[in-house]
Amino acid sequence: MKNKNFLFLVALWVCSCNELEHQNESLDYRILKKYEIDLSSRNQYIHSQLQFLDSCTIVALDRNFRKLDIISICDERFEKSILLQDDGSDKVYPVSSFFYHSVDSIFLFSLDALTVQLIDTSSHVSKEWRLQNLVFPDKVFEQVVGSNGIFYPFSLTQNGMFHLPFNFDQSKNCLIFNITPQSEFIDFKDRKTFYSSPLVGTYSLENSSFISFTGAWPEIYKADETPNNPFNNLAFDDKHNFLVNFYNSDKVFSSEKNDFYRISSNYFDERYTLFSIDSEADYTTEQELNAFHKDEGYVNLVFDPFKRLYYRIAKHSNDNLEKENSHRMEAEWSIIVFNENFVVLGEVLMPKKNYNFLQILPTKSGLLVSKENIYSPTNNEELYEFDLIEITL
């Protein structure tokens, strides 16, 4: 009997330790202010990416209507649009993402044309970089499985779907991109190539070439069955160090430390789809989309330069919804807060459907969170809405 009691206590202690290891402190939030901007019917918009220009002004990319919208949060009004030209000497290619540096230096990236263009607020194209002849250096090529040496920059933003912007480092005059290698493998075996490649490439605007590669994948992406998400969010600090946010791993990768750190959600229990990387494996688009929309995933990572904190956005599994084709923006979600030493301070559960968790901007007062979610029962198409929230730590 004593032995049984002893074993029971040991088992209970082990379970308790495991629970404590995975348990983030439960946090709360409060709404500091609501913003409602009347855009009216003449100001159509479908914004895929937002960026602060200053503490009052947001620039928003509208890929569908080919423009950049300038919006004043402080005055709660729409200011103007920078219209992107379809032809002529200032022709702009289809824009996938942007980086606004100054009034005369707005970088536009086209995934379709593999081109970076530099425009000003009059939409004049002053410079253009064709991203061509993209071949890994020998040292990088040797470590990538099944590679033919070719790679591509990848940056894409799409409302409610993708948030993979690039970044500009003024001190080095460089752009920083996600990259993806070209593979000699067929079917899902090409994931072996993706997941053995560096994640991030730095492109020198002066030399018109990629000058460095960095990043590594967690172990979960190196098994015979892996997640199907080779593109990751990058969160940059004010020194242009970055963290890589992996969609289906509880780890983040630090470029500064060259190491992984565990930042996990209370609400995740590894409910995501694994795909075989065997060359015989064949999956339908529907299976891939189901995994993308319904599986749990870390969908965004935001650095707050004012509080020196990171916010990891965890989209919870929504495979239990009654709808057969539920969208990821309908899911429950939460925000994991951690500091620069990778200490998790807690996690706050957010209401589903109310917000767009891909559009979150830090301010001195709190987090500005977009309410532009088409699945929200309170979404008003004639108002552009944000909540300024404060997470209580």
Side-chain angles (χ1 to χ4, degrees), residues 78-341:
F78 172 86
E79 292 193 345
K80 67 174 183 177
S81 290
I82 303 171
L83 302 178
L84 306 177
Q85 303 303 310
D86 292 322
D87 49 34
S89 60
D90 291 322
K91 176 182 177 179
V92 169
Y93 301 109
V95 179
S96 308
S97 55
F98 78 97
F99 187 94
Y100 190 113
H101 177 58
S102 65
V103 293
D104 57 359
S105 296
I106 306 170
F107 294 94
L108 307 177
F109 173 68
S110 172
L111 186 60
D112 291 348
L114 280 182
T115 300
V116 174
Q117 293 176 286
L118 189 67
I119 68 166
D120 57 22
T121 51
S122 299
S123 197
H124 167 63
V125 178
S126 60
K127 201 158 185 180
E128 182 175 294
W129 293 266
R130 294 279 182 143
L131 308 184
Q132 298 176 329
N133 303 316
L134 303 175
V135 179
F136 283 129
D138 289 343
K139 286 185 179 179
V140 177
F141 169 69
E142 290 168 2
Q143 72 184 35
V144 185
V145 178
S147 170
N148 58 11
I150 298 172
F151 69 93
Y152 302 101
F154 189 92
S155 179
L156 176 64
T157 60
Q158 184 176 335
N159 188 33
M161 293 288 284
F162 302 105
H163 184 255
L164 303 164
F166 64 97
N167 195 273
F168 172 59
D169 184 346
Q170 182 183 10
S171 65
K172 298 177 181 177
N173 197 26
C174 289
L175 302 176
I176 305 172
F177 286 96
N178 276 282
I179 60 167
T180 181
Q182 192 175 90
S183 178
E184 294 182 331
F185 295 138
I186 60 172
D187 299 323
F188 267 68
K189 194 177 180 182
D190 61 8
R191 286 356 182 225
K192 284 187 176 181
T193 308
F194 295 160
Y195 300 150
S196 60
S197 167
L199 297 143
V200 180
T202 300
Y203 183 83
S204 168
L205 295 173
E206 182 179 354
N207 300 332
S208 298
S209 63
F210 278 87
I211 57 174
S212 66
F213 303 88
T214 189
W217 293 86
E219 289 302 316
I220 187 176
Y221 291 92
K222 298 176 182 178
D224 290 336
E225 291 189 328
T226 69
N228 178 34
N229 204 311
F231 307 114
N232 310 286
N233 312 101
L234 306 176
F236 292 84
D237 66 15
D238 39 19
K239 296 178 182 177
H240 292 280
N241 299 311
F242 59 85
L243 298 186
V244 180
N245 176 60
F246 302 97
Y247 195 89
N248 289 125
S249 172
D250 59 3
K251 306 281 198 319
V252 297
F253 177 84
S254 166
S255 66
E256 182 182 21
K257 307 291 187 183
N258 193 34
D259 204 356
F260 294 97
Y261 296 88
R262 185 171 180 272
I263 309 291
S264 61
S265 171
N266 286 343
Y267 303 95
F268 282 13
D269 55 8
E270 298 187 351
R271 279 193 288 171
Y272 49 80
T273 308
L274 294 176
F275 294 81
S276 170
I277 57 175
D278 186 276
S279 60
E280 301 291 322
D282 187 23
Y283 297 97
T284 65
T285 301
E286 184 179 4
Q287 286 173 296
E288 294 183 62
L289 285 174
N290 267 341
F292 183 70
H293 285 293
K294 294 188 176 183
D295 289 359
E296 65 188 29
Y298 297 102
V299 294
N300 198 3
L301 184 62
V302 178
F303 175 68
D304 183 342
F306 307 104
K307 294 184 172 62
R308 313 301 302 181
L309 296 174
Y310 288 92
Y311 307 97
R312 194 177 198 192
I313 311 305
K315 183 202 82 70
H316 305 174
S317 171
N318 56 326
D319 59 5
N320 58 346
L321 293 182
E322 293 181 3
K323 286 177 61 177
E324 183 178 347
N325 296 316
S326 60
H327 193 279
R328 66 205 309 244
M329 297 305 293
E330 299 178 83
E332 299 262 4
W333 64 289
S334 54
I335 302 174
I336 307 162
V337 185
F338 64 101
N339 63 23
E340 292 177 297
N341 295 318

Side-chain angles (χ1 to χ4, degrees), residues 40-93:
S40 74
S41 58
R42 64 185 176 83
N43 295 320
Q44 294 179 300
Y45 65 94
I46 303 175
H47 292 147
S48 68
Q49 182 186 350
L50 309 180
Q51 183 187 326
F52 262 126
L53 304 188
D54 53 49
S55 59
C56 279
T57 314
I58 287 174
V59 59
L61 171 62
D62 188 333
R63 294 178 59 200
N64 291 42
F65 295 100
R66 289 183 52 77
K67 59 189 173 72
L68 293 169
D69 290 330
I70 310 297
I71 300 161
S72 172
I73 291 295
C74 297
D75 298 332
E76 295 192 63
R77 66 183 176 88
F78 172 86
E79 292 193 345
K80 67 174 183 177
S81 290
I82 303 171
L83 302 178
L84 306 177
Q85 303 303 310
D86 292 322
D87 49 34
S89 60
D90 291 322
K91 176 182 177 179
V92 169
Y93 301 109

Side-chain angles (χ1 to χ4, degrees), residues 316-379:
H316 305 174
S317 171
N318 56 326
D319 59 5
N320 58 346
L321 293 182
E322 293 181 3
K323 286 177 61 177
E324 183 178 347
N325 296 316
S326 60
H327 193 279
R328 66 205 309 244
M329 297 305 293
E330 299 178 83
E332 299 262 4
W333 64 289
S334 54
I335 302 174
I336 307 162
V337 185
F338 64 101
N339 63 23
E340 292 177 297
N341 295 318
F342 304 98
V343 176
V344 175
L345 305 180
E347 183 170 6
V348 55
L349 181 64
M350 302 295 293
K352 65 180 181 181
K353 297 185 181 182
N354 283 19
Y355 297 108
N356 184 335
F357 45 66
L358 299 182
Q359 296 182 354
I360 299 175
L361 299 172
T363 74
K364 288 183 178 180
S365 303
L367 292 178
L368 191 68
V369 187
S370 170
K371 298 182 75 175
E372 297 303 300
N373 184 344
I374 62 171
Y375 295 94
S376 170
T378 60
N379 184 55

